[in-house]
Amino acid sequence: MTYQLVATCLFGLEKLLGEELDALGVKRTLTMDGRVFFEGTAADVTRANIGLRTAERVYILLGSFEAPTFAALFDGTRALPWEEFVGKYDAFPVKGHAIKSRLTSIPDCQSIVKKAVVERLSASYGAKWFSENSGTKYQIEFFIFKDVAYLMIDTSGTALHKRGYRPESGIAPIRETLAAAIALTARPREDTLFWDPFCGSGTLVIEAAMIATGRAPGLTRSFVGESFACLPKPLWTAAREEAESKILHDSKFEAFASDIDEDMLDLVYENATRAGVEEHLNIFAADAREIKKPDRRGTLICNPPYGERLMTREETEALYAAIGKSFAAFSPWQMYIITSCDSFERLFRRRADKTKRLYNGMIPCTLYEYFRPR
């Protein structure tokens, strides 16, 4: 059976997510801000959850329809085949959001969707009341954009950026999916040393090492879809076995993870060990303003302080000016630096070869890419 599916992502990562879906061999059907629609089988749902590096969640799309009014939202929702997924004793909570639409009250939309699903299931099961306390949980999510409602069931559960290797992190961590996107842009490979001189809890270099060694991000975590009747356990087992078969156990990839805060280094090692890539990381204390370029090919990749939580704005500006001097000696290395500081290029004293607008959580940021020699 072919499902209509949706993978969500942080704003700015749609292109990378689309490329990941292409690599899975599924057919993309629509792309909009923060989500990519595609077609796939039940097996593709399991493979997407385990293997996608830049996705936040994977949904089964029940359907979409015009919903300029509450009546239209109710009728459209009731017309969808909820009984094909939700059993008589299953839970089906509702949440969602609306953007650029006439329906703006989220609590009212939740109530309407819930009532419509109950009415549909009542007709199927001959019951007027559902206890929702002894079966599988199917999280229903609606997304209303420009008066078009999309009704979905979440198959991921805990967001996919929570890989499981980072139970603790630093004060200002970068989300794993964003770190993976930056690493994918920088193209980690065996013949190039990766160095994050602001490594914090190690997320950027860990994601880079996982990419270079072919380790799927969701290989060691669980998903709510594992309890779904439409996604039987053998499919999840097969997807994990497929992912494990793609690990490059003899990879020579190497990354430096350094930070001025020595207290973070043990955490980097623990996170890397949980991720299975500790052997690829050289972890040490160093001040990014004083680092020296090794005599080999390499890439600098980092998420320096923004001046919002770790340092003052004045301290951050002085830091950017200082690393502009130290990083200049690393030419012809490529560099990928993400920050929310709009004056970064002026402080760093070098215009980027390319910039990309991204979001680190709710913070608008820019990825500055330097790939041409000075």
Side-chain angles (χ1 to χ4, degrees):
M1 179 179 178
T2 299
Y3 292 107
Q4 299 302 312
L5 305 167
V6 184
T8 58
C9 64
L10 297 173
F11 290 142
L13 304 190
E14 298 86 359
K15 182 176 183 294
L16 286 171
L17 176 54
E19 292 171 352
E20 286 196 89
L21 290 168
D22 292 343
L24 278 182
V26 298
K27 179 184 177 182
R28 282 190 274 166
T29 57
L30 175 67
T31 299
M32 62 174 65
D33 288 350
R35 58 195 64 224
V36 181
F37 295 69
F38 63 104
E39 296 178 348
T41 63
D44 292 324
V45 175
T46 65
R47 295 169 65 235
N49 272 296
I50 291 170
L52 292 177
R53 300 183 188 278
T54 58
E56 292 297 322
R57 294 181 186 276
V58 177
Y59 296 93
I60 296 173
L61 177 66
L62 269 289
S64 60
F65 48 87
E66 297 281 343
T69 66
F70 288 126
L73 179 61
F74 182 89
D75 292 341
T77 301
R78 183 179 55 185
L80 298 177
W82 297 103
E83 68 279 1
E84 293 182 7
F85 298 90
V86 182
K88 185 175 181 179
Y89 302 103
D90 294 335
F92 48 101
V94 177
K95 65 180 180 179
H97 58 288
I99 300 174
K100 299 179 181 179
S101 299
R102 278 173 274 186
L103 299 181
T104 57
S105 172
I106 300 306
D108 286 340
C109 290
Q110 286 177 287
S111 178
I112 291 294
V113 169
K114 184 73 174 185
K115 289 178 181 177
V117 176
V118 167
E119 186 166 308
R120 174 79 185 208
L121 295 179
S122 294
S124 296
Y125 298 125
K128 294 185 179 297
W129 182 78
F130 297 89
S131 61
E132 300 188 55
N133 60 10
S134 59
T136 300
K137 176 183 175 181
Y138 289 88
Q139 178 66 63
I140 296 172
E141 185 161 331
F142 62 85
F143 172 58
I144 308 174
F145 181 66
K146 293 183 177 179
D147 292 334
V148 176
Y150 301 85
L151 274 294
M152 307 168 291
I153 293 176
D154 179 16
T155 70
S156 301
T158 301
L160 297 180
H161 73 264
K162 296 185 178 181
R163 324 288 205 205
Y165 67 74
R166 199 178 74 174
E168 295 183 29
S169 57
I171 298 174
I174 189 170
R175 186 174 291 193
E176 294 89 332
T177 43
L178 179 58
I182 297 171
L184 285 167
T185 302
R187 297 182 300 114
R189 47 207 182 276
E190 286 189 348
D191 63 350
T192 302
L193 172 67
F194 259 54
W195 188 349
D196 181 358
F198 294 93
C199 71
S201 56
T203 310
L204 274 167
V205 286
I206 289 173
E207 292 292 331
M210 291 174 68
I211 292 167
T213 59
R215 291 182 178 273
L219 191 55
T220 60
R221 55 157 284 175
S222 60
F223 307 90
V224 70
E226 293 182 71
S227 63
F228 291 6
C230 62
L231 302 174
K233 290 190 181 297
L235 293 181
W236 294 96
T237 300
R240 287 192 171 90
E241 290 176 348
E242 177 187 9
E244 289 174 351
S245 71
K246 294 180 179 179
I247 296 175
L248 305 174
H249 294 283
D250 58 350
S251 173
K252 300 298 188 294
F253 175 78
E254 182 182 7
F256 283 2
S258 63
D259 200 283
I260 195 171
D261 184 356
E262 295 188 32
D263 292 338
M264 295 299 297
L265 303 183
D266 286 342
L267 180 59
V268 176
Y269 180 77
E270 292 167 3
N271 290 342
T273 300
R274 280 186 286 265
V277 296
E278 75 282 358
E279 65 182 283
H280 299 281
L281 269 58
N282 185 345
I283 305 167
F284 56 94
D287 187 332
R289 296 166 293 191
E290 300 174 359
I291 58 176
K292 306 297 181 182
K293 173 179 170 288
D295 187 20
R296 57 190 291 191
R297 180 176 178 176
T299 294
L300 283 174
I301 180 171
C302 62
N303 174 42
Y306 300 167
E308 298 190 18
R309 282 178 284 185
L310 292 178
M311 306 174 74
T312 67
R313 180 175 179 179
E314 291 74 19
E315 290 172 333
T316 300
E317 290 181 348
L319 174 65
Y320 291 167
I323 64 172
K325 295 177 181 178
S326 63
F327 287 14
F330 278 73
S331 183
W333 278 31
Q334 296 182 356
M335 291 182 281
Y336 299 83
I337 305 168
I338 185 171
T339 175
S340 65
C341 179
D342 292 332
S343 56
F344 173 79
E345 289 173 299
R346 175 179 60 81
L347 297 164
F348 193 64
R349 293 185 178 276
R350 184 178 174 188
R351 184 175 294 278
D353 297 312
K354 184 179 180 181
T355 61
K356 183 182 298 182
R357 197 67 168 167
L358 300 171
Y359 283 80
N360 187 1
M362 298 300 293
I363 303 174
C365 295
T366 300
L367 176 64
Y368 296 91
E369 303 180 27
Y370 299 89
F371 41 77
R372 297 187 180 97
R374 291 182 67 90

